[in-house]
Amino acid sequence: MAEEKAELIVYNSLTKQKEVFKPKVAGKVGMYVCGVTAYDYSHIGHARAYVAFDILYRYLRHLGYEVMYVRNFTDVDDKIIKRANERGVDPISLSAEFCQEFLKDMADLQCLLPTHQPRVSDHMEKIIDMISQIENNGCAYRVEGDVYFSVDNSPKYGQLSGRKLEDNRSGERVAVDSRKRNPADFALWKSAKDGEPSWESPWGPGRPGWHIECSAMSAEYLTPIFDIHGGGMDLIFPHHENEIAQSCAACPESNVSYWMHNGFVTTNDEKMSKSLGNFFTIRKVTELYHPLALRHFLLGTHYRSPVNYSIAQIEIASEAVYRFYQTLQDCQDALSLYREGSADTVAEPTGKKVRITDAASECIHNLQSDVQKMSDDLHTYSLLNSALPEALKLINSSLTLLKKKQQQKQKQSVIQSLIELEKEVRDALDILGLLSSLEYPEVLGQLKSKALKRSGFEDDYIEDQIKERAFARKNKEFSRGDKIRSELAAKGIALMDVGSETIWRPCVPVQQEQLGVPKEAKPCEDAEKQKQAQLVQVKPEEPLPKEQDKSSGVEAVKEKTTLPTAA
């Protein structure tokens, strides 16, 4: 896009306020985001975190920055070892398997690959060196082969979370160990135990504690002084608090300018929790919904706010994505007539000599303005739900206008408007990560395939229903035709009469009893009705042991909650 780049403002969790973003090196950004502990399929809490920071990555590049984006894999961890022992496999191999599964999910969600994706097992020497430095600086102590960080020797401990040391009671997200000098002290190195992977160290064979890996790897790739450190809001304490403490203990000059955290994912307005089993893997959601629909849903809420997962909202997001691609496909089809010279009206205009319509000019201005609004702490809502839908609406009305008889100059103006609108829409979708590398028909075909799977119908069955409805209407059996259309709409299949032809497209499932849809009403076109739509239920995953998942924005909670049911 050609608009003047706006000054970026981000919310800094350390200072608890919005700040103008100023990188340490002009034109360059160093960004570290805590990655997954790879022992299972990733869930939508992970999707929330990595889509949020993918947007930041994309927008920084849009603003012209050269970004070094580092996102780690934790492949040495208690949870990995436990799962590997249950399966009778090597922990590192198990983790490698789920690292690949995670990358597949991220590719499906259109998340760009980071510059570096380091793994703990490949950086043991750096981790051991950092622990040694912390110990040499008097901020760590040994206990029977283990090494603990001493929070009493960290004067600013609590600066990120705002917690006081007396708040850190044992058993509340702080490991209980009577050998610790202070209950808040945390392990830097754990001595080897039978059946666990281990590495040689100055303290004997063992493996790293939870937090030290990110301090070591961020320093390795970005130096101890860099711009942005991100992750889920649940990482503020203890993970990121401990990172700051140990990084500064190893290198007093260590400094991260901006700490950024994404909000939780909730269900039925309750925090998602692995311990309660009310979470969903990315793979489970994308079995029935296009990954772009999940991404669209996640972008509909500001990254720092909780996002309430519901099938209703995924349905609406899926409908929106289909409209994006169907409109772009229609625009491409119409313009192809002029590009190929097969239209008998006018040739496609060249250059910038032909003025676009006033409506198109205003629409493009609004698109560019809403892209600039993302400079205010990655505000995506307006672009996603205002400027883009308005642009699609104008494209559709312009396509209708193109079919009417007009003077050559007017028709050229409409054509040029469509050319520029399509480009601006594509640019905006690209910044949001919603522009697939696939051709429009391929994406539309995928969306229709997912809709068929949700409906439980085969394509042949729907074609038979279309023929049966046509036969009924031909015989003036309109109630029968209406019933066929309504029954399909209730399963998310909309029949559209286009001239003498009837086609189908996905829609939000319409519950006829609730909506009171009149005969021959067009389903899925009223936003308020969409919100009341009949929902497809996705079965949640089986609950896992209570734990905190680094980076996910999903943490274990004790409260009981009710799983979502079809509304």
Side-chain angles (χ1 to χ4, degrees):
M1 290 192 173
E3 80 277 8
E4 182 181 349
K5 302 298 186 292
E7 188 174 57
L8 178 62
I9 297 172
V10 298
Y11 182 85
N12 190 345
S13 300
L14 183 63
T15 61
K16 312 297 187 294
Q17 64 185 8
K18 287 184 179 181
E19 299 176 359
V20 175
F21 177 72
K22 294 181 179 179
K24 295 183 181 298
V25 178
K28 297 185 177 182
V29 176
M31 178 170 75
Y32 185 93
V33 176
C34 290
V36 292
T37 300
Y39 69 103
D40 205 341
Y41 291 106
S42 299
H43 49 69
I44 60 173
H46 295 123
R48 189 8 167 22
Y50 302 123
V51 166
F53 287 102
D54 182 66
I55 287 292
L56 176 58
Y57 185 31
R58 287 172 178 272
Y59 198 66
L60 285 168
R61 297 190 349 168
H62 166 72
L63 294 177
Y65 289 107
E66 179 185 334
V67 185
M68 182 175 287
Y69 175 17
V70 182
R71 185 183 67 205
N72 74 297
F73 280 113
T74 297
D75 63 348
V76 180
D77 183 85
D78 291 343
K79 294 183 287 293
I80 297 170
I81 294 169
K82 180 181 178 183
R83 183 63 57 83
N85 288 340
E86 290 170 353
R87 295 189 178 185
V89 298
D90 173 64
I92 301 298
S93 298
L94 174 83
S95 186
E97 173 191 341
F98 285 110
C99 286
Q100 291 305 310
E101 296 296 345
F102 169 81
L103 291 174
K104 182 181 184 304
D105 285 336
M106 293 301 103
D108 287 345
L109 289 170
Q110 296 273 116
C111 290
L112 300 174
L113 280 173
T115 316
H116 300 286
Q117 297 188 89
R119 304 188 186 196
V120 175
S121 60
D122 295 330
H123 293 76
M124 210 56 66
E125 183 178 348
K126 178 67 178 179
I127 291 170
I128 291 170
D129 287 346
M130 179 170 275
I131 296 173
S132 297
Q133 190 65 46
I134 294 171
E135 185 180 35
N136 293 339
N137 290 342
C139 294
Y141 57 94
R142 306 182 187 190
V143 180
E144 301 171 358
D146 295 339
V147 181
Y148 286 97
F149 183 87
S150 175
V151 296
D152 290 325
N153 291 346
S154 180
K156 293 184 179 181
Y157 191 80
Q159 61 181 307
L160 179 65
S161 64
R163 293 170 66 105
K164 298 179 181 178
L165 282 178
E166 55 266 29
D167 295 333
N168 301 327
R169 293 176 293 183
S170 296
E172 295 186 2
R173 302 179 75 184
V174 179
V176 178
D177 190 335
S178 60
R179 303 175 303 163
K180 295 194 291 187
R181 297 175 183 175
N182 186 311
D185 292 350
F186 55 90
L188 296 172
W189 188 260
K190 297 180 178 182
S191 58
K193 298 179 180 61
D194 291 340
E196 295 185 355
S198 63
W199 289 261
E200 290 299 325
S201 78
W203 318 283
R207 58 188 174 87
W210 175 17
H211 316 290
I212 191 67
E213 63 190 60
C214 288
S215 288
M217 289 189 286
S218 62
E220 172 76 6
Y221 290 91
L222 300 172
T223 79
I225 302 171
F226 60 95
D227 301 299
I228 299 170
H229 196 313
M233 200 170 286
D234 55 332
L235 299 186
I236 292 176
F237 184 87
H239 186 53
H240 288 165
E241 191 72 75
N242 291 353
E243 270 197 68
I244 293 174
Q246 65 198 7
S247 293
C248 291
C251 175
E253 294 78 27
S254 177
N255 177 263
V256 175
S257 299
Y258 306 92
W259 288 84
M260 298 178 68
H261 296 90
N262 62 277
F264 293 114
V265 177
T266 63
T267 179
N268 272 7
D269 295 316
E270 294 284 345
K271 191 184 301 179
M272 272 196 176
S273 162
K274 283 188 175 181
S275 63
L276 296 175
N278 64 340
F279 76 100
F280 305 87
T281 63
I282 297 169
R283 202 69 58 87
K284 177 66 79 172
V285 174
T286 56
E287 280 180 9
L288 294 178
Y289 295 92
H290 199 287
L292 288 177
L294 178 55
R295 185 179 178 102
H296 186 287
F297 158 72
L298 293 171
L299 294 179
T301 303
H302 188 268
Y303 80 94
R304 287 193 291 113
S305 299
V307 57
N308 192 45
Y309 174 80
S310 73
I311 301 302
Q313 295 304 314
I314 294 288
E315 289 280 4
I316 293 170
S318 182
E319 170 81 357
V321 172
Y322 191 90
R323 287 182 183 275
F324 287 159
Y325 280 86
Q326 186 61 65
T327 301
L328 289 171
Q329 178 64 62
D330 292 343
C331 183
Q332 185 181 79
D333 289 345
L335 291 176
S336 67
L337 297 175
Y338 300 97
R339 287 170 174 150
E340 295 169 4
S342 56
D344 57 4
T345 51
V346 293
E348 178 187 355
T350 58
K352 294 287 183 178
K353 295 180 180 179
V354 178
R355 289 189 57 186
I356 62 174
T357 65
D358 290 342
S361 179
E362 181 181 359
C363 191
I364 289 171
H365 170 78
N366 291 339
L367 273 171
Q368 294 177 347
S369 177
D370 278 1
V371 167
Q372 280 200 348
K373 286 180 183 178
M374 289 178 64
S375 290
D376 182 7
D377 201 28
L378 303 181
H379 178 92
T380 57
Y381 184 86
S382 183
L383 176 60
L384 195 66
N385 295 285
S386 179
L388 273 170
E390 284 301 314
L392 297 177
K393 184 178 179 181
L394 181 57
I395 288 174
N396 281 319
S397 63
S398 298
L399 290 173
T400 301
L401 185 61
L402 197 59
K403 296 175 184 177
K404 298 179 179 179
K405 289 185 177 181
Q406 301 174 76
Q407 293 181 351
Q408 181 172 334
K409 186 177 180 180
Q410 292 174 319
K411 181 150 272 187
Q412 285 181 325
S413 180
V414 174
I415 293 169
Q416 186 65 35
S417 296
L418 284 169
I419 291 170
E420 296 190 26
L421 280 168
E422 182 192 20
K423 178 185 179 301
E424 293 293 335
V425 167
R426 285 179 58 88
D427 286 350
L429 290 175
D430 190 37
I431 290 170
L432 293 172
L434 291 171
L435 184 64
S436 174
S437 59
L438 301 176
E439 298 294 328
Y440 302 148
E442 292 180 82
V443 179
L444 291 168
Q446 292 173 345
L447 286 159
K448 293 184 76 171
S449 178
K450 298 287 186 184
L452 282 175
K453 191 170 184 178
R454 295 194 299 271
S455 73
F457 297 142
E458 297 289 339
D459 199 20
D460 289 345
Y461 172 79
I462 294 176
E463 293 302 322
D464 289 342
Q465 292 297 99
I466 290 174
K467 292 175 183 177
E468 187 174 336
R469 175 174 173 267
F471 182 78
R473 288 163 61 84
K474 182 178 179 180
N475 292 321
K476 302 188 184 301
E477 297 177 25
F478 297 112
S479 60
R480 182 183 168 199
D482 293 346
K483 183 180 180 182
I484 291 171
R485 185 175 190 175
S486 297
E487 287 176 348
L488 291 175
K491 293 292 187 178
I493 305 296
L495 298 186
M496 316 293 289
D497 293 320
V498 182
S500 59
E501 183 185 8
T502 299
I503 61 173
W504 75 270
R505 50 154 291 173
C507 71
V508 176
V510 179
Q511 191 167 12
Q512 304 299 322
E513 307 84 65
Q514 286 185 355
L515 304 183
V517 177
K519 293 181 180 180
E520 294 304 310
K522 294 181 180 180
C524 317
E525 293 188 359
D526 187 294
E528 291 305 313
K529 291 179 181 179
Q530 288 178 342
K531 293 178 182 178
Q532 304 174 47
Q534 180 181 2
L535 309 180
V536 178
Q537 180 63 38
V538 176
K539 183 180 178 181
E541 303 295 309
E542 294 297 319
L544 295 175
K546 193 176 294 184
E547 64 197 18
Q548 180 192 16
D549 190 320
K550 295 158 51 178
S551 83
S552 67
V554 177
E555 67 172 330
V557 292
K558 297 179 181 179
E559 305 94 308
K560 293 183 178 179
T561 186
T562 304
L563 295 181
T565 55

